[in-house]
Amino acid sequence: MSVTNLDFDLFRDYLEKQSGILLGDNKQYLVTSRLRKIMENERLQSLAELVRRMQSQPRSGLYQQVIDAMMTNETLWFRDGYPFEVMRTRVLPELVQKYPNQRLRIWSAASSSGQEPYSLSMLLDEYERANPGQLRAGVQIVATDLSASMLDVCKGGEYDALSMGRGLSVERQQRYFEKLEGGRWRLKLPVRQRVDFRQLNLLESYALLGKFDVVFCRNVLIYFSADVKKDILRRIHATLKPGGYLFLGASEALNGLPELYSMVQCSPGIIYQAK
């Protein structure tokens, strides 16, 4: 499949408008490699034809296939380590002291294949075991993603051996998973029940999500333009309770918006507190 500059620009504009995903210049090779199979299956000859098909069938299975192909949906358990350590040693103790009788709410804003929200759920169980009664009001994790098909996978809580080996300790695997046939593993029900998966495009309204004590928006802002990033961060602030915390990815930084967030040094790592 060859990609002309005109077709690439057409596809790139459509993708950014619909999902916020921003493709850089000279990424034709990436588009070609990720969409070749879809194009062949749909018998489409050009990106322009693909865009026309998606425009005529919005939110169709084809649209979801393209979104899935263009986003990296594989991630790690307890990715980068320090955000979960900061949650355990600083954020959770502070929140349970501040709201001893209120249910805490955490938003995983790009849940991908589910490792982040489920890692948070395991962490909460560990915290509860170490601090009996402190989370007596409960904790809800809302996990959102653009991909409906990925969310369906997440809800089942099943992972293959390759996924299990990415950042998950043997102890946690034995405590929180049950072994299935075919070398697959499934998270135990209490861990899954704490997570509420919902489909959400970060370009759309967050009004129905409610308010949160903590938001994890990690390794997703890299896909967006500077203006879209700033808009997302403003709207995330509106979902945070005063004094709530925002976690970004290790390679991401909150540039600007000092009127909304304060930077908090955590040694290691940086998080942001809503003003």
Side-chain angles (χ1 to χ4, degrees), residues 87 90-92 94-108 124 135 137-142 209-216 236-247 261 271-275:
M87 281 288 293
R90 176 175 183 147
V91 174
L92 286 173
E94 179 182 315
L95 290 174
V96 296
Q97 184 176 13
K98 188 176 181 180
Y99 304 112
N101 299 309
Q102 292 183 27
R103 182 179 67 162
L104 301 180
R105 300 187 76 234
I106 302 170
W107 177 18
S108 173
L124 290 166
L135 298 177
V139 184
Q140 181 193 33
I141 301 167
V142 176
L209 296 178
K211 291 287 187 177
F212 294 97
D213 301 283
V214 180
V215 174
F216 272 58
I236 285 177
H237 180 270
T239 73
L240 280 165
K241 296 178 184 176
Y245 288 101
L246 168 65
F247 287 73
Y261 296 96
I271 60 176
Y272 301 90
Q273 189 169 29
K275 293 182 177 179

Side-chain angles (χ1 to χ4, degrees), residues 30-270:
L30 179 69
V31 173
T32 300
S33 62
R34 294 193 176 185
L35 297 184
R36 178 179 286 110
K37 186 175 181 180
I38 295 173
M39 299 279 286
E40 290 175 352
N41 291 341
E42 297 292 329
R43 299 180 180 179
L44 298 170
Q45 302 301 315
S46 68
L47 285 179
E49 192 176 350
L50 173 65
V51 170
R52 287 195 294 272
R53 177 79 65 84
M54 289 191 293
Q55 288 174 332
S56 66
Q57 301 173 9
R59 305 303 179 185
S60 65
L62 176 60
Y63 173 84
Q64 290 296 337
Q65 288 180 59
V66 170
I67 292 298
D68 290 350
M70 295 311 303
M71 297 193 71
T72 303
N73 283 313
E74 196 63 48
T75 186
L76 309 175
W77 302 100
F78 296 90
R79 184 171 182 175
D80 297 324
Y82 80 85
F84 302 92
E85 185 65 13
V86 170
M87 281 288 293
R88 183 180 67 83
T89 61
R90 176 175 183 147
V91 174
L92 286 173
E94 179 182 315
L95 290 174
V96 296
Q97 184 176 13
K98 188 176 181 180
Y99 304 112
N101 299 309
Q102 292 183 27
R103 182 179 67 162
L104 301 180
R105 300 187 76 234
I106 302 170
W107 177 18
S108 173
S111 59
S112 186
S113 46
Q115 281 91 335
E116 180 176 273
Y118 283 140
S119 292
L120 286 166
S121 186
M122 286 184 269
L123 175 72
L124 290 166
D125 180 80
E126 292 169 352
Y127 185 86
E128 201 166 26
R129 288 171 184 265
N131 304 276
Q134 285 198 16
L135 298 177
R136 58 185 176 273
V139 184
Q140 181 193 33
I141 301 167
V142 176
T144 65
D145 199 83
L146 178 61
S147 171
S149 59
M150 186 56 61
L151 289 171
D152 287 340
V153 172
C154 292
K155 290 174 185 177
E158 293 187 18
Y159 296 88
D160 59 22
L162 183 61
S163 298
M164 295 294 289
R166 293 174 173 164
L168 190 67
S169 68
V170 173
E171 180 184 3
R172 282 170 170 154
Q173 181 173 338
Q174 292 176 344
R175 172 175 288 177
Y176 295 114
F177 290 80
E178 54 190 4
K179 192 171 185 179
L180 305 176
E181 295 181 357
R184 295 183 65 80
W185 296 77
R186 180 170 59 206
L187 278 152
K188 293 181 179 178
L189 188 59
V191 179
R192 302 201 315 268
Q193 285 181 325
R194 196 179 280 116
V195 184
D196 176 16
F197 287 99
R198 308 181 191 179
Q199 186 177 14
L200 179 73
N201 186 332
L202 288 175
L203 300 185
E204 297 172 355
S205 173
Y206 309 161
L208 296 180
L209 296 178
K211 291 287 187 177
F212 294 97
D213 301 283
V214 180
V215 174
F216 272 58
C217 185
R218 308 186 68 241
N219 308 300
V220 65
L221 294 180
I222 56 174
Y223 290 107
F224 303 131
S225 69
D227 289 341
V228 173
K229 288 179 188 177
K230 186 167 286 189
D231 176 62
I232 289 172
L233 290 167
R234 286 184 183 279
R235 292 189 293 122
I236 285 177
H237 180 270
T239 73
L240 280 165
K241 296 178 184 176
Y245 288 101
L246 168 65
F247 287 73
L248 299 180
S251 62
E252 297 169 324
L254 198 162
N255 297 319
L257 302 179
E259 73 279 12
L260 299 183
Y261 296 96
S262 299
M263 182 186 295
V264 180
Q265 296 278 355
C266 294
S267 301
I270 296 170

